Amino acid sequence: AQKITQTQPGMFVQEKEAVTLDCTYDTSDQSYGLFWYKQPSSGEMIFLIYQGSYDEQNATEGRYSLNFQKARKSANLVISASQLGDSAMYFCAMREGGSGGYNKLIFGAGTRLAVHP
Amino acid sequence: EAQVTQNPRYLITVTGKKLTVTCSQNMNHEYMSWYRQDPGLGLRQIYYSMNVEVTDKGDVPEGYKVSRKEKRNFPLILESPSPNQTSLYFCASSPRTGVNQPQHFGDGTRLSIL
């Protein structure tokens, strides 16, 4: 079974509008961390935001926020006021707590976001 | 500037010719890891290291070797590269292991094995 599922291979959004990128995860651990990374066309992986499984508040970092719904096992990334520079591939990832799972990031397949002027 | 540095950024080589991709971090991180990225598969872990002289296999270790003789360096070695190792490779590091540790990535190395 997929540990991290990103169901949207591609998304379009108009500049200045908000967009939500979906991510669902599967784990039986109580302790885990969820991460979002951005990969522009230049290829580097840029860390955007982190949410811990015990965090009660949704994480926010500037224009990025994470809509964390623990019971539904979803960790959607919300980008507010989209900019042309937000066009990139976005990856959701998880670090699990048990059985050494914290030793790796498990990635989803990614969502390619295109921001239109 | 805090960073993870990989070299080379691009390499085209032939089957069977040993190669090493270097990775160095200047953040005194204990944890380092190698991933490969293939279309539609996201990133998959090859090897990781929790500290000097402590390394272990990830999900796709076949055909690769690593070493961690110094804290800052974690080279990836392909002893006899094959075309199925053509991929985009990332080195990453974090201060420690732990679920709350984001990994900081290098800029990637694009390998083509002919």
Side-chain angles (χ1 to χ4, degrees):
Chain A
Q2 294 273 16
K3 288 269 191 176
I4 298 284
T5 303
Q6 295 180 252
T7 57
Q8 308 151 312
M11 289 279 287
F12 295 92
V13 66
Q14 206 72 24
E15 195 178 8
K16 298 190 178 70
E17 295 191 346
V19 63
T20 298
L21 306 183
D22 294 342
C23 173
T24 58
Y25 59 92
D26 182 25
T27 181
S28 55
D29 290 336
Q30 296 301 307
S31 176
Y32 51 89
L34 296 157
F35 305 83
W36 277 91
Y37 285 84
K38 172 184 178 182
Q39 186 178 43
S41 58
S42 49
E44 70 268 31
M45 294 288 286
I46 302 166
F47 165 65
L48 295 178
I49 196 167
Y50 160 79
Q51 178 84 42
S53 59
Y54 294 118
D55 294 342
E56 295 186 354
Q57 305 263 17
N58 285 342
T60 60
E61 288 287 347
R63 293 186 299 110
Y64 303 108
S65 61
L66 203 153
N67 184 359
F68 181 48
Q69 297 188 42
K70 194 170 181 176
R72 296 180 59 189
K73 292 189 174 178
S74 76
N76 299 337
L77 177 70
V78 181
I79 306 174
S80 62
S82 298
Q83 301 172 355
L84 296 178
D86 293 334
S87 295
M89 184 74 99
Y90 288 82
F91 289 97
C92 179
M94 175 172 65
R95 226 169 169 173
E96 296 175 287
S99 303
Y102 47 80
N103 284 318
K104 67 180 174 187
L105 278 173
I106 303 166
F107 283 83
T111 295
R112 185 169 297 282
L113 176 67
V115 181
H116 291 174
Chain B
E1 182 190 346
Q3 58 187 8
V4 179
T5 303
Q6 295 179 226
N7 279 297
R9 292 291 314 278
Y10 304 90
L11 179 64
I12 301 173
T13 188
V14 296
T15 299
K17 186 176 181 183
K18 180 179 178 179
L19 66 93
T20 299
V21 185
T22 63
C23 175
S24 180
Q25 50 91 7
N26 62 1
M27 297 170 279
N28 202 37
H29 285 175
E30 290 182 357
Y31 176 91
M32 298 185 75
S33 182
W34 277 102
Y35 295 85
R36 61 177 288 173
Q37 182 181 7
D38 302 290
L41 296 178
L43 280 75
R44 295 176 293 165
Q45 191 185 50
I46 303 169
Y47 269 94
Y48 67 91
S49 169
M50 290 198 286
N51 214 324
V52 176
E53 303 290 4
V54 182
T55 63
D56 207 347
K57 296 176 182 178
D59 293 324
V60 288
E62 295 78 21
Y64 305 95
K65 285 175 59 176
V66 293
S67 68
R68 186 97 181 268
K69 294 182 170 39
E70 306 165 283
K71 199 170 188 178
R72 63 184 293 126
N73 295 324
F74 190 45
L76 179 70
I77 302 155
L78 286 71
E79 293 267 1
S80 182
S82 62
N84 64 11
Q85 293 177 297
T86 292
S87 188
L88 178 58
Y89 291 84
F90 287 100
C91 180
S93 73
S94 62
R96 292 166 298 282
T97 57
V99 297
N100 64 342
Q101 301 283 307
Q103 294 186 28
H104 303 271
F105 285 78
D107 287 342
T109 295
R110 192 168 291 280
L111 283 184
S112 292
I113 316 291
L114 305 178

